[in-house]
Amino acid sequence: MDQRPTGNFVAFKNREKNPGDKRPAFDGRIAMPGSEDERDFALWAHDFIDRTTGEARVMFNGAASATARNADAGTQIAAMTSGKGEDAGYSGLTLAPRQVVLFPNRFRDEAPDKKRPDYWGAFNPGDGSAVVRVSAWARTDRNGNVYLSGATSYPIPGKSEAEMQDVMGAHEADISHADSQGTGPGKGGRKGGRGAAGGRE
C-alpha cells in the first residue's frame, strides 16, 4: 500500500438543517496530511448543472477554522488578528484562505472496481501551506444519517486526478478490509471514519 501521508476528513449531517435555510449541510473535522491536529469546518450544499451530462448535481463549499481544535488560547487569540491569509490555486480552482470544496467525482463511474471516492476536492489552509486534496466517500451511520468520511493528501507529481484517486481508493479499501476483519483502527474508533459512524463526538 502507498505510504504517503494522509490526514483525517469527516463531515456529519447537520441535523438542524432544513431545506431552503442558510444553515450548513455538514460540519466536521479536517487535518493536514501527516498531522493529527484537526480543524473544524462547515460545508454548504449548492446545486449546479454538469456541463458534460446536463444533470443537476450537488457540490459542497465551506470554510475551516483558522486554528486546530487543540490549539492553546494564545494561538487562537493571535489568529483573530493574523490577517486574511492567501488565495491559492489547485487543478484550475482558486481557493480562498481556509476554503474547502467538494465536487461529485466524474471519474468514479469509469472504474467502479477501484473504489474511487464519491467526492473529490481541495482545502487551502490559508497560512502559506500547500493546498491539499480531499477524497470523501458518502456513507450512512447506524441510524441512517448520511456522513462523509475520507482523507486529505498531497498531490502526487506526474499523476492525473484519476490516478491519485486510485491511490486513495486502495488506501480506503485496505482500511475497510481491516475493519471487517476486526483488526483495523475502525473497531477502536478510527478518527472520523467508521468508528465515528454513530454520530458526532
Side-chain angles (χ1 to χ4, degrees), residues 109-129:
D109 293 339
E110 296 176 0
D113 58 314
K114 292 187 176 181
K115 307 297 183 184
R116 290 173 178 170
D118 296 301
Y119 294 90
W120 75 276
F123 167 51
N124 175 16
D127 57 4
S129 301

Side-chain angles (χ1 to χ4, degrees), residues 8-14 24-31 38-43 63-65 69 100 147-148 192 200-201:
N8 187 49
F9 176 91
V10 64
F12 297 105
K13 176 183 176 181
N14 182 356
F26 290 95
D27 59 78
R29 307 186 300 272
I30 189 170
E38 298 177 324
R39 301 188 194 189
D40 293 317
F41 70 88
L43 292 174
S65 60
R69 304 176 97 206
V100 183
Y147 72 103
L148 304 175
R200 306 179 194 188
E201 292 179 351

Side-chain angles (χ1 to χ4, degrees), residues 67-100:
T67 60
R69 304 176 97 206
N70 61 352
D72 60 37
T75 299
Q76 294 184 50
I77 291 172
M80 296 176 183
T81 58
S82 61
K84 178 185 176 183
E86 301 177 357
D87 289 354
Y90 174 72
S91 191
L93 304 171
T94 298
L95 290 88
R98 300 185 296 281
Q99 185 177 5
V100 183

Side-chain angles (χ1 to χ4, degrees), residues 27-73:
D27 59 78
R29 307 186 300 272
I30 189 170
M32 295 293 285
S35 173
E36 294 187 0
D37 295 336
E38 298 177 324
R39 301 188 194 189
D40 293 317
F41 70 88
L43 292 174
W44 282 260
H46 303 279
D47 294 324
F48 74 99
I49 301 299
D50 188 308
R51 294 180 181 178
T52 301
T53 65
E55 296 177 279
R57 308 292 296 273
V58 177
M59 59 86 64
F60 300 98
N61 184 32
S65 60
T67 60
R69 304 176 97 206
N70 61 352
D72 60 37

Side-chain angles (χ1 to χ4, degrees), residues 86-171:
E86 301 177 357
D87 289 354
Y90 174 72
S91 191
L93 304 171
T94 298
L95 290 88
R98 300 185 296 281
Q99 185 177 5
V100 183
V101 294
L102 287 176
F103 299 97
N105 186 11
R106 66 184 185 277
F107 300 107
R108 180 177 171 83
D109 293 339
E110 296 176 0
D113 58 314
K114 292 187 176 181
K115 307 297 183 184
R116 290 173 178 170
D118 296 301
Y119 294 90
W120 75 276
F123 167 51
N124 175 16
D127 57 4
S129 301
V131 172
V132 297
R133 301 176 62 259
V134 179
S135 300
W137 286 260
R139 313 189 188 284
T140 54
D141 65 20
R142 59 176 172 262
N143 297 314
N145 296 304
V146 63
Y147 72 103
L148 304 175
S149 177
T152 62
S153 61
Y154 291 113
I156 304 173
K159 286 190 179 292
S160 67
E161 176 59 34
E163 289 171 331
M164 289 188 284
Q165 289 181 14
D166 291 342
V167 172
M168 294 307 300
H171 172 79

